[in-house]
Amino acid sequence: MSFSSRRALAAFLLALVVAASGCAAGNAYRQGKSEARKGNWDLAVARLTKALQKDPDNISYRLALESARVQASQYHYKEARKHLAANDLEKAVEELQIAANYDPSNKSASDDLRLVQARIQKRDEEREEREGLEAKKSRAQATRVPVPVLSPRSPVPITLKFADQSLQKILDSLGKLAGVNILYDQDFRDKRYTVDVSNVTFQEALDQITMVNRLFYKVLDQNTIIIVPEGPQKRRAYEDVYVRTFYLTNAEVNETLTIIKTVAGIQKAVGNPTLGAITVTGTPDKLALVEKIIEANDKARGEVMVEVQIIEVNRNALKNYGIELSNYQASVTFSPTGAANETSGGTTSVRAHLLSSLNLADFVVNIPSTLLTRFVQTESNVRILAAPRLRAAEGKATSLRIGTEVPIPVTTFTATQAGTSTFAPATSFTYRNVGVSLDLTPKVNATGDVTLELAAEFSSIGDDRNVGTGQNPIVVPTFLTRNVKGILRIRDGETSLIGGLLQGRDADNLSGVLGLQSVPVLNKVFTSRRKQKDESEVLISITPHIVRAPKLTDQDFASLHIGTDETVRVPSARPLFGTPEEPPPATPPAPAPDGASSAQPQPQPQTGVPGAPSFAPQAPTVPPPAPGSLVTPPAGGQANVEARRARIMLSPPELRLKVGQSGSVSIVALGASGVSAVEVVLAFDATALEAVEASPGSLLTLDGSSVGAERNLEPGRVRAKFTRAAPATGSGALTTIQFKTLKPGSATLAIESLTLMTPAGEERPPVPGAGRVEVVP
């Protein structure tokens, strides 16, 4: 093939490609115009965009595409307005975003898009705030009332035996056993007392002795209590009083306030119905009692969806049969001349000379000329159906009204002038609903039954009645009313049918020739009979469906010990002891000179000696350091090394959460020195808890230094390591671990290992006992 032939072939192929491209663009353009005429703007934009891509220089394609984009933007903007009217914000945002993308110059779509996005953000924030209310309540419940607690130095059970000894001496001996200082009120009176208790705790022994001798005690600090004579005045003088506000989410404020004042006997309680809050002033025990009462009563109201079907059946039967004359009357008229209008007013004027020639021809007899035979029988059934679905809250009435407002005239008479007996009528109208009226008040029982208080009324318009007199008729309507009222107890989803609301009317009319009713054959021929029977019945079908039922837990059925009628005391509200302090390890004795033994004689318990206490060996009575303080022992010795160790604790040691809620636990170090790195391994029950996050605590981040973190969140175990450049010294949280609850139950949190990197090397301080997380439904 020559060079010129190849050029011709290339030109031919290029022309084919251009023609094919132009053809494809034209097809896409025609398809886009067709979709535009149908109002399918999204497809129109897609087809026209394809056409313009095939032929970018075609001005017609570009103008058509721009027009289609504008129309598509307007279409999606209108769709967004519809979703906004239906309060569907998410779909409205989607439509507004599409409208703004199609036509960036559509400022209405852009502005509305920003406004709707702001509404969604505000709604989500409010929802999170409402959902966070339960978490706040759980944290408040987990936080104990800040009452002083004792810090025992020996948890060893106590045995006390005193016979006819001084009560003050017995209490002093008991205090020495537990390392507790005991003070006495100025009105305390000593007396002789005998006590014999074995293998009891310090609190049990103290409770027994004070209760028998009409005394009570108050914890002043971690090492001191005061003994006070029992009495209302002394209670008021010594009992700490706190103020707490409880926020209700479901119960009525006034009803709950009445329960609190009646059951707990607390008069210093005020409700705020606007905020849904109750503020109570009382001791920690009374506040714990109020909390228990509110938890048991602040339940979500039950809700019921009631399907109601109202059926009214009207049965009308008519029978009309027999032979009936057009008129059962015969008359004779005197008309001697036969002229028109000869007879007037029932009389005929006749000249006297004509009276002598009167005969039968001068009289006209009128008799029935038409004979009717009826064989009519009609029956009709009319059914009116109403099937509403009513959603009602427990204890709240829900009403249904279906009918017509009928005016009823009401006439009053007023004097035209003062002191006269002339009265002028004045008519006004009142309206009455005629039709179906239904009132339902549901109650959801814990067993799944629904109790419905039902009141139904069915009314219709009757015949008009004239209640006027003389020349002043007053026609008013009458009403036919049927009522049913009662209480039903139905299972969830069960249908109950109420019927038998009947109303009937029978009519029997007979017309014919007088005297022929008793003639056997003629009474069938020359009489007409009309029988009519009207009957109406109303049926009501009710089917309740429980939407929400009160959620009762095992704790709601459990009893709460609150002490006696005279003194309210809730053990969980006022802990006597804090976490037992671990005694420091004993210092090994120094070797005595010349190899002599340095063992010191140990005190032996005395038994069987009257007046002498008998108890198990107790721990050293060195007071523990105050929480948060640094231990600064004297230099030298192994005891000093132990004293310089940081104290570790879990905060809070006990946590109470609901299923699905989140909570956090911190590992706190007291008296840490030069901490540059922390390694911790925390174990927990993986079936009840799930670790969400492990973050460095305030001790490592308080000064703003950067902290490196390595985390490994495993099922049932958290491994974390935090490092910082500058060592940290003081007291604070080493790490905070956030959990999410999975199922009800009790889960433990145990620190498997804890290592602190200090200038002196690795330090492994003693870890506290396991914490506990109580997960409730």
Side-chain angles (χ1 to χ4, degrees):
M1 183 180 293
S2 64
F3 177 74
S4 59
S5 299
R6 287 197 299 270
R7 290 186 60 184
L9 180 59
F12 176 73
L13 294 176
L14 180 61
L16 288 178
V17 171
V18 172
S21 176
C23 184
N27 289 335
Y29 174 75
R30 286 189 295 272
Q31 291 175 1
K33 297 293 288 184
S34 176
E35 297 296 340
R37 286 191 295 270
K38 297 177 183 178
N40 300 330
W41 297 110
D42 291 334
L43 291 177
V45 170
R47 298 294 186 271
L48 293 173
T49 301
K50 181 179 180 181
L52 187 62
Q53 290 175 351
K54 296 292 184 180
D55 190 359
D57 298 330
N58 194 315
I59 301 299
S60 299
Y61 294 175
R62 186 177 300 276
L63 293 177
L65 177 59
E66 292 298 329
S67 177
R69 292 174 67 90
V70 171
Q71 295 297 329
S73 177
Q74 292 296 329
Y75 169 76
H76 285 282
Y77 180 72
K78 292 178 181 178
E79 291 296 317
R81 301 297 298 178
K82 294 179 182 179
H83 291 305
L84 284 176
N87 201 28
D88 192 346
L89 301 183
E90 284 75 11
K91 291 186 178 179
V93 166
E94 294 178 3
E95 296 292 340
L96 289 172
Q97 187 68 58
I98 295 174
N101 292 337
Y102 274 141
D103 185 8
S105 63
N106 191 346
K107 295 299 182 184
S108 298
S110 302
D111 295 341
D112 288 352
L113 177 61
R114 288 192 294 270
L115 293 176
V116 176
Q117 288 175 342
R119 286 177 58 183
I120 293 177
Q121 182 179 0
K122 183 178 179 181
R123 183 199 62 186
D124 294 342
E125 291 175 354
E126 292 176 353
R127 183 181 301 171
E128 291 177 359
E129 184 177 357
R130 289 193 300 268
E131 294 175 352
L133 178 62
E134 295 297 329
K136 294 177 182 177
K137 290 175 63 176
S138 300
R139 289 194 296 269
Q141 293 172 357
T143 304
R144 296 184 182 274
V145 179
V147 296
V149 294
L150 292 175
S151 184
R153 304 188 184 103
S154 176
V156 179
I158 294 173
T159 298
L160 273 181
K161 294 183 180 180
F162 284 92
D164 195 25
Q165 292 294 322
S166 167
L167 177 59
Q168 184 173 352
K169 181 179 178 181
I170 296 173
L171 292 173
D172 290 339
S173 301
L174 182 62
K176 291 179 181 179
L177 295 178
V180 175
N181 301 322
I182 297 182
L183 305 179
Y184 298 92
D185 181 75
Q186 60 180 358
D187 294 331
F188 174 80
R189 297 292 180 266
D190 193 12
K191 64 179 182 180
R192 312 294 291 183
Y193 179 64
T194 299
V195 62
D196 187 355
V197 293
S198 301
N199 198 28
V200 295
T201 64
F202 170 72
Q203 183 176 2
E204 292 173 346
L206 184 62
D207 288 340
Q208 293 179 19
I209 296 174
T210 55
M211 182 184 66
V212 172
N213 293 277
R214 297 288 297 170
L215 303 171
F216 72 94
Y217 58 89
K218 178 184 178 181
V219 179
L220 300 180
D221 54 39
Q222 62 181 0
N223 298 316
T224 309
I225 64 173
I226 184 171
I227 305 297
V228 186
E230 183 65 79
Q233 294 183 353
K234 291 295 183 181
R235 285 281 183 180
R236 288 193 295 268
Y238 280 94
E239 287 283 4
D240 293 324
V241 178
Y242 298 85
V243 177
R244 183 176 176 183
T245 301
F246 298 89
Y247 294 92
L248 307 180
T249 55
N250 301 288
E252 296 289 342
V253 172
N254 294 330
E255 295 177 357
T256 308
L257 192 61
T258 302
I259 297 175
I260 291 173
K261 292 182 177 180
T262 303
V263 177
I266 297 176
Q267 299 303 321
K268 295 182 179 181
V270 179
N272 184 350
T274 303
L275 193 58
I278 296 178
T279 302
V280 182
T281 301
T283 63
D285 301 279
K286 291 186 176 180
L287 293 181
L289 176 58
V290 171
E291 181 180 357
K292 175 66 175 179
I293 294 174
I294 291 179
E295 286 182 356
N297 291 274
D298 190 18
K299 304 292 185 181
R301 287 183 180 271
E303 291 190 33
V304 179
M305 178 71 74
V306 183
E307 294 183 1
V308 182
Q309 290 185 352
I310 302 173
I311 307 171
E312 184 176 0
V313 181
N314 295 328
R315 303 182 183 92
N316 300 320
L318 172 63
K319 291 183 178 181
N320 193 356
Y321 57 91
I323 298 176
E324 179 181 349
L325 296 174
S326 61
N327 191 349
Y328 285 99
Q329 297 177 354
S331 62
V332 178
T333 305
F334 178 64
S335 179
T337 62
N341 300 327
E342 183 179 9
T343 302
S344 176
T347 61
T348 303
S349 298
V350 183
R351 293 182 181 274
H353 70 277
L354 297 177
L355 294 178
S356 60
S357 61
L358 293 177
N359 54 36
L360 293 177
D362 297 322
F363 293 90
V364 178
V365 180
N366 297 319
I367 60 174
S369 61
T370 303
L371 185 65
L372 302 177
T373 303
R374 298 183 183 272
F375 306 96
V376 178
Q377 178 174 345
T378 62
E379 293 185 4
S380 63
N381 293 330
V382 180
R383 177 172 295 179
I384 302 174
L385 294 176
R389 296 168 61 91
L390 307 178
R391 181 165 178 169
E394 183 175 7
K396 301 297 183 180
T398 299
S399 301
L400 172 67
R401 301 288 184 267
I402 302 175
T404 304
E405 295 288 336
V406 178
I408 303 174
V410 178
T411 302
T412 58
F413 295 88
T414 58
T416 56
Q417 294 181 359
T420 64
S421 59
T422 304
F423 297 90
T427 303
S428 60
F429 293 89
T430 61
Y431 290 86
R432 173 177 174 176
N433 184 74
V434 177
V436 179
S437 177
L438 183 65
D439 294 324
L440 290 174
T441 303
K443 179 182 178 183
V444 181
N445 302 317
T447 57
D449 293 346
V450 178
T451 302
L452 292 176
E453 185 176 346
L454 172 68
E457 177 180 307
F458 305 91
S459 57
S460 60
I461 302 177
D463 298 333
D464 293 338
R465 179 173 298 177
N466 185 6
V467 297
T469 58
Q471 300 298 325
N472 299 318
I474 301 176
V475 179
V476 295
T478 60
F479 301 95
L480 306 177
T481 304
R482 283 160 289 177
N483 293 285
V484 59
K485 188 176 183 180
I487 298 177
L488 306 177
R489 181 160 180 159
I490 315 174
R491 296 288 299 177
D492 180 22
E494 180 182 0
T495 300
S496 177
L497 186 65
I498 302 174
L501 299 177
L502 297 174
Q503 180 176 331
R505 178 187 177 187
D506 294 339
D508 190 357
N509 299 324
L510 180 66
S511 61
V513 179
L514 179 64
L516 295 182
Q517 295 89 339
S518 58
V519 179
V521 177
L522 297 180
N523 61 356
K524 302 296 184 181
V525 176
F526 295 101
T527 60
S528 174
R529 193 160 195 169
R530 180 186 180 92
K531 288 185 178 182
Q532 183 174 359
K533 183 177 182 181
D534 298 335
E535 184 180 86
S536 64
E537 180 180 6
V538 176
L539 304 175
I540 308 174
S541 173
I542 298 177
T543 305
H545 300 280
I546 297 177
V547 179
R548 179 186 298 142
K551 295 182 180 180
L552 302 179
T553 62
D554 295 339
Q555 295 181 353
D556 295 326
F557 294 96
S559 301
L560 177 66
H561 177 66
I562 59 171
T564 63
D565 287 340
E566 183 179 2
T567 304
V568 176
R569 185 171 183 180
V570 180
S572 60
R574 194 189 296 269
L576 181 65
F577 291 124
T579 305
E581 299 290 339
E582 295 186 2
T587 304
D594 302 329
S597 175
S598 60
Q600 300 294 329
Q602 300 296 325
Q604 300 295 328
Q606 300 177 4
T607 59
V609 181
S614 174
F615 52 87
Q618 65 181 33
T621 58
V622 179
S629 61
L630 297 179
V631 181
T632 311
Q638 178 65 24
N640 298 338
V641 176
E642 296 292 339
R644 285 195 298 269
R645 286 186 176 182
R647 296 169 52 210
I648 306 299
M649 60 181 295
L650 284 174
S651 177
E654 296 181 6
L655 196 60
R656 180 184 177 90
L657 298 173
K658 292 185 177 181
V659 175
Q661 287 186 339
S662 298
S664 59
V665 175
S666 298
I667 300 177
V668 180
L670 302 177
S673 178
V675 178
S676 58
V678 177
E679 292 186 17
V680 61
V681 178
L682 180 70
F684 57 93
D685 185 0
T687 61
L689 301 176
E690 178 186 0
V692 177
E693 179 62 24
S695 57
S698 58
L699 180 63
L700 304 179
T701 62
L702 187 61
D703 57 356
S705 299
S706 60
V707 179
E710 298 178 9
R711 309 176 186 87
N712 187 5
L713 306 180
E714 306 173 0
R717 186 170 282 100
V718 175
R719 304 176 188 272
K721 180 179 181 180
F722 305 101
T723 58
R724 51 175 284 153
T729 300
S731 301
L734 298 174
T735 180
T736 299
I737 302 174
Q738 186 177 3
F739 295 92
K740 180 180 179 181
T741 58
L742 302 178
K743 70 173 186 178
S746 180
T748 59
L749 301 174
I751 301 177
E752 289 188 349
S753 65
L754 179 66
T755 303
L756 303 179
M757 299 300 298
T758 63
E762 293 185 356
E763 178 182 343
R764 294 182 175 84
V767 297
R772 185 169 64 92
V773 178
E774 189 72 18
V775 182
V776 298

